[in-house]
Amino acid sequence: LETLLKGLLHLQKYKFFSIVFSGNGPSGICLSYLLSGYTPYFKRHSLHPHPILQRKLEEAPEISVLDQDLEYLSEGLEGRSHSPVALLFDTLQRPDTDFGGTEESVLTWWHEPDRAIPHLVLGRNAPGGAWHSIEGSMVTLSKGEWMGLPDLPFKEWLQQKRRGLRNNRATAEDIAQYYQHYVMKKGLQKNFRCGTVVTSVRKVSAESISNHTQKDLQEDGDPLWNSNEKSTEVFQVDGFFKTMEGDKESFSIYAENVVLATGTYDNPTWLGVKGENLSYVHHQLSALEEAVKSNSVGIMSDPVLIVGAGLTAADAILFAHHCNIPVIHVFRRRVTDPGLIFNQLPKMMYPEYHKVHQMMKEQTAACAGPYEHYISLPEHHVLSFGKDKKCIFQDKNGCQKAYKISMALVLTGSNPNLSFLPNDGVGLAVDSGQPVNPKRNPIDVDPFTYECTQEKGLYALGPLAGDNFVRFVQGGALAVASSLLKKANKNPP
């Protein structure tokens, strides 16, 4: 508590930072680590399985990876991400992981405090972001070791807790704890302000901040902004934090650069059908957990409707199945659709998701299968929710059906909440006429710096920039850190 209070006082006292991040999940934590003077070098005498990359790394082993040409290093790499720098950083940390190898990282980390850049990481939750909002027993899609951050392998941390990985995967609770531990272990907590909500990020003229205010804003005598940059505009970041008494205290800070790392957990997608705002219709899995805890749904209640065919919907089905709660499962795609996530997952590694896929195939309303308390309605969509808890569906032929349900969970994905940006950040996306969407329309960034093409000084990381897995968001952090170090002239020659 004392640390948090000191942190809040610090936030009021110092109002200028070189960089402010909005979001404190894995991308924000990784970037804070890289901006705190932790510097990656190629580990001498280590051998990377990619011979061309090995040759490039041997060309300048005394120069940090942060200071090298990331485009040159990442050229020719292939893998499960569209981002060249994400592939580069991932293969440096886990050289042959996609081929089942366990080669050690070819990076060694040096702490060079004189290269640190003052920054502030703002987030609603404790460090780890949305991982604190996910049901703790849920198992990750990615392998456990892929959830780790630089220079503290997740597996090692888990072994210290005398625990192993279940089927090579980890629970959400473990991951949330690991991220908090990482921030403490690496001494990053002084940069983090938790319980803060950003309400506005906008550019203001540097002259509009009076000279008098500028003197007050300076921290430790650092110039307010780089004089050689001749910065005429800075970002004003407004928001509030919750005090111990539960009051809201507002703040206003200025920054030369702002990094958006808010993820996409905030705004669940709505179907846009009649009755969707009724109290029994929910858009988050946690609503089912609450209903089970309070005994408002159970084995004898009307079925729970689950809408969607992604992994969150599958998690809800597994949870309901475990609690013997009857389920009606509605989704628009065919069960054989190659775009369905279940058709892309290896059966051996994901047995529980494979089981859900089997249920979706074998237990349709048309033919009863071996699974009790579950009905699958492929190629159906919801037409309306009634006040009497009757839900009407329509199939691909236009036939309608009505079912009485106890509650509905619409789990069809989520969108980022960018309401703190002008026009909700619409102009920043690849298609600048449409809202930002992590899968279909991410923020348009330079692939080697992650700076927004439409707004200099603004950076986007993680799902906002189209990187949806923890192992790949870290490459974005490397790109941003490299760019910011160049701007701050903290790159050695």
Side-chain angles (χ1 to χ4, degrees):
L1 281 185
E2 196 181 330
T3 318
L4 183 65
L5 280 169
K6 276 184 189 162
L8 298 178
L9 288 169
H10 181 91
L11 190 61
Q12 288 172 309
K13 186 178 171 190
Y14 297 125
K15 292 193 175 176
F16 182 80
F17 282 80
S18 301
I19 303 109
V20 171
F21 323 170
S22 182
N24 65 1
S27 6
I29 296 171
C30 185
L31 181 54
S32 178
Y33 178 69
L34 292 165
L35 293 178
S36 297
Y38 290 96
T39 311
Y41 289 87
F42 174 55
K43 199 190 292 173
R44 301 285 177 111
H45 313 302
S46 55
L47 200 59
H48 196 285
H50 195 295
I52 297 170
L53 180 58
Q54 173 73 18
R55 202 182 68 237
K56 289 177 182 176
L57 292 166
E58 284 172 348
E59 286 169 11
E62 71 291 348
I63 296 177
S64 158
V65 173
L66 276 170
D67 305 322
Q68 294 197 36
D69 181 341
L70 298 180
E71 185 169 1
Y72 171 66
L73 286 181
S74 57
E75 205 173 29
L77 295 177
E78 292 178 352
R80 301 184 187 184
S81 169
H82 299 299
S83 160
V85 188
L87 290 173
L88 170 67
F89 201 34
D90 184 61
T91 195
L92 292 173
Q93 294 192 93
R94 289 171 278 268
D96 57 353
T97 189
D98 278 336
F99 303 102
T102 53
E103 289 276 339
E104 273 196 15
S105 167
V106 298
L107 295 178
T108 181
W109 293 86
W110 291 82
H111 192 210
E112 300 172 345
D114 56 320
R115 300 196 67 192
I117 297 178
H119 62 276
L120 197 57
V121 188
L122 307 176
R124 289 170 188 260
N125 298 318
W131 286 98
H132 293 280
S133 312
I134 299 167
E135 158 62 29
S137 62
M138 289 295 172
V139 179
T140 60
L141 173 63
S142 295
K143 281 185 177 182
E145 65 246 41
W146 292 351
M147 307 306 292
L149 296 174
D151 203 31
L152 183 63
F154 181 73
K155 225 173 191 170
E156 277 179 28
W157 175 79
L158 212 54
Q159 280 162 357
Q160 285 167 7
K161 297 185 76 186
R162 292 180 173 74
R163 297 265 299 288
L165 290 167
R166 190 176 113 200
N167 202 23
N168 273 333
R169 288 151 69 207
T171 66
E173 183 180 12
D174 285 335
I175 291 159
Q177 284 181 14
Y178 163 78
Y179 291 144
Q180 279 191 278
H181 172 79
Y182 187 92
V183 167
M184 297 300 284
K185 176 94 176 165
K186 300 296 183 187
L188 309 178
Q189 63 273 25
K190 63 183 181 296
N191 304 316
F192 282 71
R193 301 290 171 268
C194 303
T196 56
V197 176
V198 172
T199 53
S200 166
V201 173
R202 60 195 173 92
K203 276 237 170 120
V204 294
S205 137
E207 285 107 54
S208 69
I209 309 163
S210 71
N211 289 333
H212 174 69
T213 316
Q214 284 185 33
K215 282 177 193 150
D216 290 347
L217 297 180
Q218 289 175 27
E219 180 178 3
D220 299 333
D222 278 356
L224 182 54
W225 40 82
N226 235 335
S227 51
N228 32 347
E229 287 268 320
K230 293 282 182 286
S231 200
T232 55
E233 288 187 309
V234 290
F235 290 98
Q236 181 174 328
V237 181
D238 297 318
F240 63 85
F241 54 82
K242 296 188 182 79
T243 64
M244 293 301 153
E245 296 76 43
D247 299 327
K248 286 180 181 177
E249 188 103 15
S250 60
F251 65 82
S252 215
I253 44 184
Y254 299 94
E256 283 179 273
N257 302 282
V258 170
V259 181
L260 304 175
T262 51
T264 65
Y265 203 70
D266 288 337
N267 270 358
T269 312
W270 282 48
L271 300 171
V273 301
K274 187 179 169 209
E276 196 173 359
N277 56 352
L278 291 166
S279 61
Y280 69 90
V281 182
H282 305 272
H283 295 81
Q284 278 175 327
L285 176 52
S286 52
L288 181 58
E289 294 150 19
E290 291 301 319
V292 168
K293 273 183 202 158
S294 63
N295 291 323
S296 52
V297 293
I299 191 163
M300 301 305 290
S301 55
D302 285 327
V304 169
L305 170 67
I306 294 171
V307 184
L311 296 175
T312 311
D315 284 337
I317 290 159
L318 289 165
F319 185 77
H321 193 63
H322 177 71
C323 301
N324 291 318
I325 292 163
V327 165
I328 296 170
H329 183 200
V330 171
F331 49 100
R332 286 176 176 265
R333 294 177 186 258
R334 299 188 323 276
V335 280
T336 53
D337 187 325
L340 206 65
I341 185 75
F342 306 104
N343 292 317
Q344 301 165 22
L345 297 176
K347 290 177 190 175
M348 291 296 288
M349 198 169 154
Y350 302 102
E352 74 281 42
Y353 289 139
H354 178 58
K355 180 183 177 181
V356 171
H357 196 206
Q358 288 295 107
M359 290 163 72
M360 288 161 70
K361 281 185 207 166
E362 296 174 21
Q363 191 89 6
T364 57
C367 55
Y371 304 100
E372 275 190 277
H373 311 308
Y374 172 88
I375 297 171
S376 153
L377 296 175
E379 297 184 89
H380 280 65
H381 63 271
V382 177
L383 283 183
S384 65
F385 297 102
K387 286 182 179 163
D388 53 359
K389 294 196 177 179
K390 268 200 183 136
C391 183
I392 298 170
F393 311 113
Q394 185 168 300
D395 69 11
K396 60 177 178 177
N397 303 317
C399 295
Q400 294 186 8
K401 300 170 184 157
Y403 283 90
K404 181 94 163 63
I405 59 172
S406 58
M407 67 185 291
L409 292 168
V410 177
L411 302 171
T412 52
S414 58
N415 287 306
N417 177 4
L418 298 176
S419 58
F420 54 86
L421 291 174
N423 196 23
D424 291 338
V426 167
L428 300 174
V430 173
D431 177 350
S432 58
Q434 296 296 318
V436 173
N437 178 286
K439 290 195 173 71
R440 292 181 296 279
N441 195 30
I443 289 178
D444 193 10
V445 295
D446 179 295
F448 300 102
T449 65
Y450 278 61
E451 191 168 17
C452 297
T453 49
Q454 303 298 331
E455 185 69 90
K456 294 298 164 230
L458 193 64
Y459 294 78
L461 269 183
L464 294 179
D467 294 334
N468 289 295
F469 289 101
V470 169
R471 63 183 279 206
F472 294 128
V473 303
Q474 299 174 47
L478 179 78
V480 173
S482 175
S483 169
L484 291 169
L485 282 161
K486 284 186 180 80
K487 281 187 181 181
N489 296 329
K490 296 221 178 188
N491 280 26

